[in-house]
Amino acid sequence: GDSVTQMEGPVTLSEEAFLTINCTYTATGYPSLFWYVQYPGEGLQLLLKATKADDKGSNKGFEATYRKETTSFHLEKGSVQVSDSAVYFCALSIANTNAGKSTFGDGTTLTVKP
Amino acid sequence: DTGVSQDPRHKITKRGQNVTFRCDPISEHNRLYWYRQTLGQGPEFLTYFQNEAQLEKSRLLSDRFSAERPKGSFSTLEIQRTEQGDSAMYLCASSETGTTTYEQYFGPGTRLTVT
């Protein structure tokens, strides 16, 4: 079946540090890949997405590149802020099968200290 | 449109009681999904609807769980004879069809605590 594996957290960084959160996947078809963010007390928000190999998704300074050869979609940000503290989920969804339901990783908690 | 809404946001119930949650999707979205999220885990798929038709149910959805979307708009998720293991966050999401990315928009969730 489909699965997503994220690097274990929690991750604690100082403000302006470089962030990488690793994500790898296995999929029965050709997936679209997503990063969602969940702030305390809120629902999941889509952060960025990529739908085919070598696509780069980007939003709010975050980036992730769809690497089919390594089945990875690592999240990066060059300079984190305190406001980036949240839980980050990597997910995949396969069009034309599974009706678009998403398979999620277990999440990585990021804490950014001033 | 203000996005996906869920009601209630929090529910505390005693073991054995029945509970019902409501989800209102984004109005033009005809796909609606229910997920369950426990502490420290990612959301797990429960079921989904296309319009009013329930097209798939996960093995996680035991016989005590039932979901409806009677007019293809809002949806309800009912849990009968609740158990402590049902304590979790129940998330609803909606999406359009006819796209390749199936980008889903999530509600804030209903946190269920079974005592």
Side-chain angles (χ1 to χ4, degrees):
Chain A
D2 303 331
S3 67
V4 174
T5 303
Q6 289 181 234
M7 67 182 282
E8 292 187 11
V11 174
T12 302
L13 296 173
S14 297
E15 206 164 23
E16 299 184 359
F18 184 86
L19 169 71
T20 299
I21 301 178
N22 290 339
C23 171
T24 58
Y25 67 90
T26 59
T28 52
Y30 199 123
S32 294
L33 301 174
F34 306 87
W35 277 100
Y36 287 86
V37 59
Q38 187 172 35
Y39 298 103
E42 298 184 14
L44 276 75
Q45 302 174 24
L46 180 66
L47 181 60
L48 54 82
K49 64 184 180 186
T51 60
K52 61 183 186 297
D54 300 323
D55 271 1
K56 177 185 284 187
S58 61
N59 186 28
K60 299 181 181 179
F62 291 89
E63 294 183 340
T65 300
Y66 190 143
R67 300 291 188 197
K68 192 169 187 290
E69 65 277 12
T70 56
T71 62
S72 64
F73 193 54
H74 305 320
L75 181 69
E76 297 182 335
K77 187 174 185 182
S79 176
V80 294
Q81 305 301 310
V82 172
S83 58
D84 294 327
S85 297
V87 183
Y88 292 82
F89 293 93
C90 185
L92 68 83
S93 176
I94 300 177
N96 301 323
T97 63
N98 297 336
K101 67 184 180 186
S102 294
T103 299
F104 288 84
D106 285 338
T108 302
T109 300
L110 171 65
T111 301
V112 180
K113 297 187 173 181
Chain B
D1 196 353
T2 56
V4 179
S5 61
Q6 294 187 243
D7 183 68
R9 295 289 304 273
H10 303 273
K11 179 71 177 178
I12 299 174
T13 190
K14 292 184 178 179
R15 188 178 56 186
Q17 297 296 305
N18 299 343
V19 295
T20 300
F21 311 141
R22 177 180 171 123
C23 170
D24 287 89
I26 293 171
S27 57
E28 61 267 27
H29 287 180
N30 50 15
R31 288 200 175 186
L32 186 149
Y33 306 82
W34 285 99
Y35 293 85
R36 182 172 68 187
Q37 184 180 18
T38 53
L39 196 62
Q41 304 288 318
E44 295 176 293
F45 170 77
L46 292 178
T47 188
Y48 96 95
F49 293 82
Q50 173 130 349
N51 300 313
E52 66 276 9
Q54 187 175 16
L55 297 184
E56 186 174 346
K57 294 192 289 187
S58 162
R59 287 172 293 177
L60 293 175
L61 214 65
S62 75
D63 291 344
R64 298 183 295 105
F65 287 70
S66 62
E68 295 182 344
R69 195 183 183 196
K71 296 183 179 179
S73 57
F74 74 91
S75 175
T76 58
L77 178 68
E78 181 184 15
I79 308 174
Q80 297 182 329
R81 304 180 304 281
T82 52
E83 302 173 355
Q84 287 187 324
D86 297 331
S87 296
M89 177 77 85
Y90 290 85
L91 299 171
C92 177
S94 68
S95 74
E96 298 176 318
T97 51
T99 70
T100 58
T101 60
Y102 292 98
E103 179 176 320
Q104 297 180 11
Y105 296 82
F106 282 82
T110 295
R111 181 168 298 282
L112 172 66
T113 303
V114 181
T115 60

